[in-house]
PDB file of all heavy atoms in Angstrom:
ATOM      1  N   MET V1227     -10.577  45.802  22.928  1.00  0.00           N
ATOM      2  CA  MET V1227      -9.828  45.400  24.063  1.00  0.00           C
ATOM      3  C   MET V1227      -9.171  44.063  23.778  1.00  0.00           C
ATOM      4  O   MET V1227      -9.744  43.207  23.148  1.00  0.00           O
ATOM      5  CB  MET V1227     -10.739  45.310  25.271  1.00  0.00           C
ATOM      6  CG  MET V1227      -9.968  45.598  26.522  1.00  0.00           C
ATOM      7  SD  MET V1227     -10.872  45.718  28.041  1.00  0.00           S
ATOM      8  CE  MET V1227     -11.643  47.281  27.923  1.00  0.00           C
ATOM      9  N   ILE V1228      -7.970  43.897  24.276  1.00  0.00           N
ATOM     10  CA  ILE V1228      -7.202  42.688  24.025  1.00  0.00           C
ATOM     11  C   ILE V1228      -6.872  42.071  25.370  1.00  0.00           C
ATOM     12  O   ILE V1228      -6.559  42.764  26.325  1.00  0.00           O
ATOM     13  CB  ILE V1228      -5.902  43.023  23.266  1.00  0.00           C
ATOM     14  CG1 ILE V1228      -6.253  43.736  21.967  1.00  0.00           C
ATOM     15  CG2 ILE V1228      -5.089  41.788  23.012  1.00  0.00           C
ATOM     16  CD1 ILE V1228      -5.098  44.358  21.280  1.00  0.00           C
ATOM     17  N   ASP V1229      -6.928  40.758  25.479  1.00  0.00           N
ATOM     18  CA  ASP V1229      -6.683  40.113  26.747  1.00  0.00           C
ATOM     19  C   ASP V1229      -5.675  38.989  26.567  1.00  0.00           C
ATOM     20  O   ASP V1229      -5.321  38.618  25.463  1.00  0.00           O
ATOM     21  CB  ASP V1229      -8.003  39.568  27.301  1.00  0.00           C
ATOM     22  CG  ASP V1229      -8.002  39.486  28.808  1.00  0.00           C
ATOM     23  OD1 ASP V1229      -6.923  39.478  29.415  1.00  0.00           O
ATOM     24  OD2 ASP V1229      -9.091  39.427  29.390  1.00  0.00           O
ATOM     25  N   THR V1230      -5.226  38.459  27.668  1.00  0.00           N
ATOM     26  CA  THR V1230      -4.268  37.381  27.668  1.00  0.00           C
ATOM     27  C   THR V1230      -4.936  36.071  27.288  1.00  0.00           C
ATOM     28  O   THR V1230      -6.059  35.800  27.694  1.00  0.00           O
ATOM     29  CB  THR V1230      -3.646  37.228  29.074  1.00  0.00           C
ATOM     30  OG1 THR V1230      -3.091  38.483  29.437  1.00  0.00           O
ATOM     31  CG2 THR V1230      -2.584  36.177  29.102  1.00  0.00           C
ATOM     32  N   ALA V1231      -4.236  35.267  26.533  1.00  0.00           N
ATOM     33  CA  ALA V1231      -4.752  33.950  26.162  1.00  0.00           C
ATOM     34  C   ALA V1231      -4.865  33.076  27.402  1.00  0.00           C
ATOM     35  O   ALA V1231      -4.174  33.288  28.393  1.00  0.00           O
ATOM     36  CB  ALA V1231      -3.818  33.305  25.148  1.00  0.00           C
ATOM     37  N   ASP V1232      -5.713  32.082  27.341  1.00  0.00           N
ATOM     38  CA  ASP V1232      -5.907  31.158  28.446  1.00  0.00           C
ATOM     39  C   ASP V1232      -4.711  30.220  28.527  1.00  0.00           C
ATOM     40  O   ASP V1232      -4.532  29.352  27.688  1.00  0.00           O
ATOM     41  CB  ASP V1232      -7.202  30.370  28.218  1.00  0.00           C
ATOM     42  CG  ASP V1232      -7.514  29.410  29.343  1.00  0.00           C
ATOM     43  OD1 ASP V1232      -6.839  29.462  30.393  1.00  0.00           O
ATOM     44  OD2 ASP V1232      -8.444  28.609  29.169  1.00  0.00           O
ATOM     45  N   SER V1233      -3.883  30.400  29.569  1.00  0.00           N
ATOM     46  CA  SER V1233      -2.675  29.589  29.683  1.00  0.00           C
ATOM     47  C   SER V1233      -2.997  28.129  29.990  1.00  0.00           C
ATOM     48  O   SER V1233      -2.224  27.245  29.671  1.00  0.00           O
ATOM     49  CB  SER V1233      -1.730  30.160  30.741  1.00  0.00           C
ATOM     50  OG  SER V1233      -2.367  30.183  32.002  1.00  0.00           O
ATOM     51  N   ALA V1234      -4.141  27.856  30.614  1.00  0.00           N
ATOM     52  CA  ALA V1234      -4.502  26.472  30.905  1.00  0.00           C
ATOM     53  C   ALA V1234      -4.733  25.690  29.619  1.00  0.00           C
ATOM     54  O   ALA V1234      -4.413  24.517  29.527  1.00  0.00           O
ATOM     55  CB  ALA V1234      -5.746  26.428  31.781  1.00  0.00           C
ATOM     56  N   ALA V1235      -5.274  26.351  28.601  1.00  0.00           N
ATOM     57  CA  ALA V1235      -5.541  25.680  27.330  1.00  0.00           C
ATOM     58  C   ALA V1235      -4.262  25.333  26.596  1.00  0.00           C
ATOM     59  O   ALA V1235      -4.238  24.457  25.757  1.00  0.00           O
ATOM     60  CB  ALA V1235      -6.430  26.553  26.452  1.00  0.00           C
ATOM     61  N   SER V1236      -3.178  26.018  26.910  1.00  0.00           N
ATOM     62  CA  SER V1236      -1.921  25.781  26.208  1.00  0.00           C
ATOM     63  C   SER V1236      -0.953  24.955  27.045  1.00  0.00           C
ATOM     64  O   SER V1236       0.244  24.996  26.839  1.00  0.00           O
ATOM     65  CB  SER V1236      -1.278  27.116  25.814  1.00  0.00           C
ATOM     66  OG  SER V1236      -0.999  27.868  26.980  1.00  0.00           O
ATOM     67  N   GLY V1237      -1.453  24.221  28.030  1.00  0.00           N
ATOM     68  CA  GLY V1237      -0.591  23.379  28.838  1.00  0.00           C
ATOM     69  C   GLY V1237      -0.015  24.107  30.032  1.00  0.00           C
ATOM     70  O   GLY V1237       0.884  23.602  30.677  1.00  0.00           O
TER      71      GLY V1237
END
Side-chain angles (χ1 to χ4, degrees):
M1227 209 174 285
I1228 303 168
D1229 207 340
T1230 304
D1232 182 9
S1233 60
S1236 61

